[in-house]
Amino acid sequence: MAIVHLDAEDVVAAMTVTTFKTLESRFRKAKPKNGQMYEDCLTDNLAGYLAEAAVAKMLRLQWPQPHTLLWSARHDGDLLHKGQVLEVRATKKPYVKPHLLAQPDDHDDRFYVLVSPRDPHTHTFRVVGGIMGADMKREEWWGERVNGRACFWVPAEALVPFGPKLAWT
């Protein structure tokens, strides 16, 4: 499990992208997922973009990547590393045993990485591990979320170690 510390510049970049993408969604009149309020989307989006920034920093990738700032009908993934599309999932709280939440329509051919805050006050994150999309859709992991939307709850123990020198591709 890798630990990544984001500096002030990383946090400001994540906050800027969050603000931009949230406002863009509102102007497009896109409805928030799961019946959320826009304010909830803002916190969810910030957690996600901080997680992306942490993975990018660990892999020494430019972030935000150019496609992050462009809206298109097609979602091109969160990060691109050595030809592999990475999807980054985040928890908002520093859970001891976090779960990666997945939907049935998530891409089978992409690698999903779970990031959890280690200490939100110091912007330190744990890159918990990852899993291929096809492998995370097990029947025994299917269940209801707190807000009532069903999804796959992939336990941290099922994730493979993830990092720049690990063979995860």
Side-chain angles (χ1 to χ4, degrees):
M1 191 173 321
I3 304 296
V4 180
H5 175 75
L6 298 181
D7 57 29
E9 188 176 291
D10 300 322
V11 174
V12 168
M15 292 173 76
T16 303
V17 171
T18 300
T19 303
F20 174 78
K21 297 298 275 185
T22 303
L23 288 173
E24 179 189 51
S25 293
R26 289 187 84 165
F27 286 124
R28 284 188 294 108
K29 297 185 175 39
K31 295 190 180 198
K33 294 179 184 176
N34 310 330
Q36 293 173 306
M37 300 297 293
Y38 277 106
E39 295 76 21
D40 295 332
C41 290
L42 195 61
T43 17
D44 287 351
N45 290 345
L46 180 57
Y49 289 124
L50 286 168
E52 279 184 33
V55 173
K57 189 168 193 169
M58 181 183 73
L59 296 175
R60 294 188 175 99
L61 298 174
Q62 171 193 344
W63 194 89
Q65 291 188 331
H67 73 272
T68 304
L69 299 175
L70 300 173
W71 180 82
S72 67
R74 192 178 97 230
H75 180 65
D76 293 326
D78 295 329
L79 296 171
L80 186 61
H81 179 64
K82 297 181 181 177
Q84 174 75 44
V85 177
L86 303 176
E87 297 285 354
V88 180
R89 297 289 166 90
T91 65
K92 288 190 284 188
K93 297 178 183 175
Y95 297 107
V96 175
K97 291 187 176 185
H99 288 75
L100 186 151
L101 302 184
Q103 293 297 324
D105 61 348
D106 284 340
H107 297 273
D108 288 345
D109 61 341
R110 294 185 180 178
F111 193 80
Y112 288 76
V113 181
L114 178 61
V115 177
S116 182
R118 182 177 183 199
D119 182 351
H121 303 291
T122 63
H123 306 295
T124 305
F125 295 84
R126 293 183 306 150
V127 179
V128 180
I131 189 168
M132 282 302 295
D135 298 331
M136 64 186 185
K137 300 174 186 177
R138 291 190 191 170
E139 192 175 318
E140 66 265 26
W141 293 338
W142 184 255
E144 293 289 324
R145 269 179 76 176
V146 175
N147 65 2
R149 185 177 183 202
C151 65
F152 295 99
W153 290 69
V154 184
E157 303 81 44
L159 304 177
V160 297
F162 178 82
K165 296 181 181 178
L166 299 172
W168 48 269
T169 56

